[in-house]
Amino acid sequence: MALDHLPRVQLGLFPTPMQYVADLAPGLQDLLLKRDDLTGFAWGGNKVRTVEFVLGDALERGSDTLVVAGGPGSNFAALLAVAAAAKGVAIRQVCYGSPRGAAALEVSRRAGAEVVFTGSDDRQSMEIGARELVERLNAEGALAYAVPRGGATPVGACGFAGAAAELVSQLAERNLPRATVVLPVGSGGSIAGLLAGLGANGHADRVDIVGVSVSRPPDEVEPRIAACALETARLLGGGEPSTRWRLVDGRAGGPGPEADRLTRDALRHSGLVADPVYNVKALLWLADHRAELREPTVYWSTGGALAAADTLITTFAEAGIGSGAVGAEANP
């Protein structure tokens, strides 16, 4: 597998570390953490991998404007806005719902993104709104580039194909012939890229992947992942995607005492900042199902520092500390 033939904007510091943690939290002992929260660009996060290839492709095509579908708390949209600003590319972010004080949204705005809201609470409205905006901008003479939620395209997934090579190398350094990888899944681009990369490298039999779907029913996301993995493999120029994967439902792992305890334990035991949107849900699932998995187990930490900050601010507000909003009045 080679990624050198694909346009790319170098942003992150790779490979990200693999860390052994003896006791992360109850039910999470003897765990390997793939620290993709430590990618080295802005506040980190695994979506730096996606941004490198999405922005590279847009620049290669001569695009002058990116139109990204991303909710107020979208870590990906905020990272893309920061990276695009450094390259002088305009960015429009299409959000669902209504403006609220999310840290990620404020970062997007401060990076220069023009944010528009669809006026609907349906997340699908973002994709529709983004397509319409791209058509309108191009009709006006712009060269607009559409980016779906999470950058979950075959181009964006190529960043995680590279991550698959990192994973195999780090397992070999620890003399581990095989492992099970557990990671949170939203739009599905990360798991699709890993599957394509493992297949292209001929290491599909070494890694089982369990994706914990944190926002959508698994049967809704599975076909998208399979299709994206296949197209990503074609972009890479060789090998079929790994078929050693499954998607499970982690949406029930919401806020509560158990989630709070896990968040505190992860921070104290490993320095891991577990956000409530992705990592907490996936780690709660893993704690309940660890015994079912082939050992050793690698948990893929995806980042989410901005969402974690939102949770802390809300907690402070409920306790009567601070205002409880991040820039809520700075950009009405």
Side-chain angles (χ1 to χ4, degrees):
M1 180 192 69
L3 295 172
D4 293 343
H5 69 290
L6 297 173
R8 179 180 187 180
V9 176
Q10 294 282 348
L11 299 171
L13 300 176
F14 303 115
T16 54
M18 183 177 285
Q19 172 188 8
Y20 172 76
V21 179
D23 185 13
L24 184 69
L28 296 172
Q29 287 79 31
D30 296 320
L31 194 66
L32 290 169
L33 299 179
K34 177 61 172 164
R35 296 295 302 265
D36 253 21
D37 51 314
L38 304 177
T39 47
F41 175 73
W43 53 93
N46 69 332
K47 289 298 186 181
V48 172
R49 297 183 186 274
T50 305
V51 169
E52 287 192 340
F53 285 88
V54 168
L55 183 56
D57 188 54
L59 293 173
E60 180 76 7
R61 294 171 182 270
S63 303
D64 55 21
T65 306
L66 299 176
V67 179
V68 58
S74 173
N75 183 58
F76 169 73
L79 280 169
L80 185 62
V82 173
K87 294 296 182 180
V89 178
I91 186 164
R92 308 280 188 94
Q93 181 175 341
V94 181
C95 285
Y96 74 100
S98 58
R100 55 186 176 89
L105 182 62
E106 198 59 30
V107 168
S108 290
R109 285 170 163 159
R110 293 189 182 212
E114 180 180 326
V115 182
V116 296
F117 283 81
T118 65
S120 169
D121 290 330
D122 183 359
R123 296 189 182 197
Q124 297 290 341
S125 67
M126 293 189 294
E127 307 284 7
I128 297 171
R131 286 196 298 268
E132 292 175 348
L133 180 55
V134 166
E135 291 173 1
R136 185 165 73 250
L137 289 172
N138 287 340
E140 294 170 356
L143 294 172
Y145 184 101
V147 186
R149 281 183 284 172
T153 66
V155 168
C158 286
F160 292 93
E166 286 180 29
L167 171 67
V168 170
S169 176
Q170 288 170 328
L171 291 175
E173 290 170 3
R174 293 175 177 270
N175 295 316
L176 297 174
R178 60 186 60 83
T180 298
V181 171
V182 177
L183 75 161
V185 172
S187 51
S190 55
I191 189 172
L194 288 173
L195 295 171
L198 288 169
N201 280 324
H203 294 301
D205 61 336
R206 295 188 59 183
V207 180
D208 292 335
I209 297 184
V210 180
V212 183
S213 186
V214 299
S215 59
R216 301 172 177 88
D219 58 359
E220 177 184 323
V221 190
E222 284 170 348
R224 300 180 189 179
I225 292 172
C228 185
L230 185 59
E231 289 302 315
T232 304
R234 289 174 179 167
L235 276 179
L236 298 175
E240 292 294 317
S242 170
T243 58
R244 299 181 67 94
W245 67 285
R246 62 188 174 105
L247 208 59
V248 298
D249 197 338
R251 292 173 295 162
E258 189 178 6
D260 290 342
R261 283 193 297 272
L262 188 150
T263 302
R264 288 195 300 269
D265 287 344
L267 188 61
R268 292 172 179 174
H269 295 178
S270 70
L272 179 68
V273 177
D275 74 290
V277 180
Y278 286 90
N279 284 296
V280 166
K281 292 179 180 179
L283 284 168
L284 286 173
W285 182 91
L286 177 57
D288 288 339
H289 298 272
R290 178 72 180 277
E292 305 167 11
L293 306 178
R294 183 176 72 171
E295 294 290 338
T297 302
V298 178
Y299 179 73
W300 203 288
S301 173
T302 57
L306 296 181
D310 286 338
T311 300
L312 288 174
I313 291 169
T314 300
T315 301
F316 290 160
E318 291 172 349
I321 305 170
S323 65
V326 179
E329 296 181 3
N331 290 282

